[in-house]
Amino acid sequence: MTDFSRIKKLFHITEPNGFSNDEIQTVKNIFGQLPEVFVDYYTELGKIQNLNHTQDLLIVPERFQYYKHDDYLIFYSENQKACVWGIHKDDLSKSDPPVYMSEDQKTWNKETETLIEFFTAMAYLQAVFGLEFGCDGFYQLEQSDLNFISENFKNKGVSFKQWIQGINFYGNYDDDVIMISSNYDMFYAANSKEHFAELDVVLSKLGTEL
């Protein structure tokens, strides 16, 4: 079974809430073999709303028929369909394949090296909007602000390479996240009042609130 402990700690998930074997079979009927990490995620975490549907959208089994593509299994969509993420058909037999992003479903670029990395990075992105405590708006940072964050907060170790030209995540606790986009926009959140207060007292003084 795939280890999703980082995602569970981030969202304080204690019980599995996913799709049944029959529901996942509807996806297998379309695509054939599915990656182990894909099946494990859908089975264990697929129905958790604030994890999978706060900002961007995990494609649920009954909707895969609307995302058919000759070369990719499309399983995640930006909320306004500005882009989608998928697994190449030649990689479906791998347990933990790379994930690709496309804005037009014609040109595809590698987003993450592995599926577990994608699910973890997406969890941090969803967490910015889906955790209980979040800042009121985005902050525009200067390079000195970014240097301060990188020196005082741990890099979460997963990122988006393609979406909005790259997104990185920081934080010192299992249930907090600081999101910084390539244009130095920052947003932060936490799933405990104490951890959010600790972020807010420092980060609210950085950059310019947008």
Side-chain angles (χ1 to χ4, degrees), residues 30 59 62-68 81 105:
I30 300 172
I59 308 303
E62 64 266 25
R63 293 198 59 79
F64 272 92
Q65 59 184 312
Y66 303 114
Y67 289 86
K68 284 186 178 175
K81 293 189 178 177
Q105 297 187 34

Side-chain angles (χ1 to χ4, degrees), residues 98-132:
V99 174
Y100 296 82
M101 186 271 269
S102 178
E103 296 178 351
D104 58 7
Q105 297 187 34
K106 295 174 184 175
T107 301
W108 294 80
N109 295 292
K110 189 183 288 184
E111 184 73 87
T112 59
E113 294 295 332
T114 64
L115 185 52
I116 185 66
E117 183 185 351
F118 175 84
F119 280 134
T120 307
M122 183 56 81
Y124 285 121
L125 181 58
Q126 298 275 31
V128 169
F129 307 97
L131 297 187
E132 188 172 356

Side-chain angles (χ1 to χ4, degrees), residues 3 130 146 199:
D3 180 7
L146 187 61
L199 288 177

Side-chain angles (χ1 to χ4, degrees), residues 2 14 17 19 27 55 73 80 191 200 203 210:
T2 307
T14 56
N17 185 7
F19 295 97
V27 187
Q55 171 66 14
L73 186 170
Q80 296 178 319
N191 226 6
D200 196 49
L203 299 179
L210 298 177

Side-chain angles (χ1 to χ4, degrees), residues 2 6 33 37 78 80 95 109 112 141 144 155-156 159 181 194:
T2 307
R6 287 178 69 184
Q33 191 169 7
V37 171
E78 195 271 338
Q80 296 178 319
S95 64
N109 295 292
T112 59
L141 302 182
S144 58
N155 191 308
K156 295 287 190 181
S159 62
S181 66
E194 295 76 18

Side-chain angles (χ1 to χ4, degrees), residues 15-172:
E15 297 290 333
N17 185 7
F19 295 97
S20 67
N21 289 335
D22 287 346
E23 289 172 305
I24 293 169
Q25 187 61 47
T26 65
V27 187
K28 289 182 179 176
N29 292 342
I30 300 172
F31 297 99
Q33 191 169 7
L34 297 173
E36 180 184 354
V37 171
F38 178 97
V39 173
D40 289 349
Y41 186 90
Y42 271 77
T43 300
E44 195 167 353
L45 302 173
K47 288 187 176 180
I48 298 171
Q49 286 298 309
N50 63 338
L51 169 60
N52 297 308
H53 295 281
T54 296
Q55 171 66 14
D56 302 318
L57 309 170
L58 181 74
I59 308 303
V60 297
E62 64 266 25
R63 293 198 59 79
F64 272 92
Q65 59 184 312
Y66 303 114
Y67 289 86
K68 284 186 178 175
H69 190 282
D70 288 342
D71 295 317
Y72 287 86
L73 186 170
I74 296 170
F75 69 97
Y76 229 105
S77 173
E78 195 271 338
N79 66 68
Q80 296 178 319
K81 293 189 178 177
C83 74
V84 294
W85 290 272
I87 302 165
H88 193 272
K89 62 181 181 181
D90 292 345
D91 293 330
L92 292 175
S93 61
K94 298 176 181 177
S95 64
D96 193 13
V99 174
Y100 296 82
M101 186 271 269
S102 178
E103 296 178 351
D104 58 7
Q105 297 187 34
K106 295 174 184 175
T107 301
W108 294 80
N109 295 292
K110 189 183 288 184
E111 184 73 87
T112 59
E113 294 295 332
T114 64
L115 185 52
I116 185 66
E117 183 185 351
F118 175 84
F119 280 134
T120 307
M122 183 56 81
Y124 285 121
L125 181 58
Q126 298 275 31
V128 169
F129 307 97
L131 297 187
E132 188 172 356
F133 304 95
C135 60
D136 293 331
F138 284 90
Y139 291 79
Q140 178 73 51
L141 302 182
E142 302 291 337
Q143 182 63 50
S144 58
D145 301 322
L146 187 61
N147 294 343
F148 175 85
I149 289 170
S150 63
E151 289 165 8
N152 290 278
F153 296 91
K154 296 173 188 170
N155 191 308
K156 295 287 190 181
V158 293
S159 62
F160 288 93
K161 294 189 187 83
Q162 304 297 334
W163 181 225
I164 55 175
Q165 287 78 55
I167 305 172
N168 290 295
F169 304 99
Y170 298 84
N172 290 336

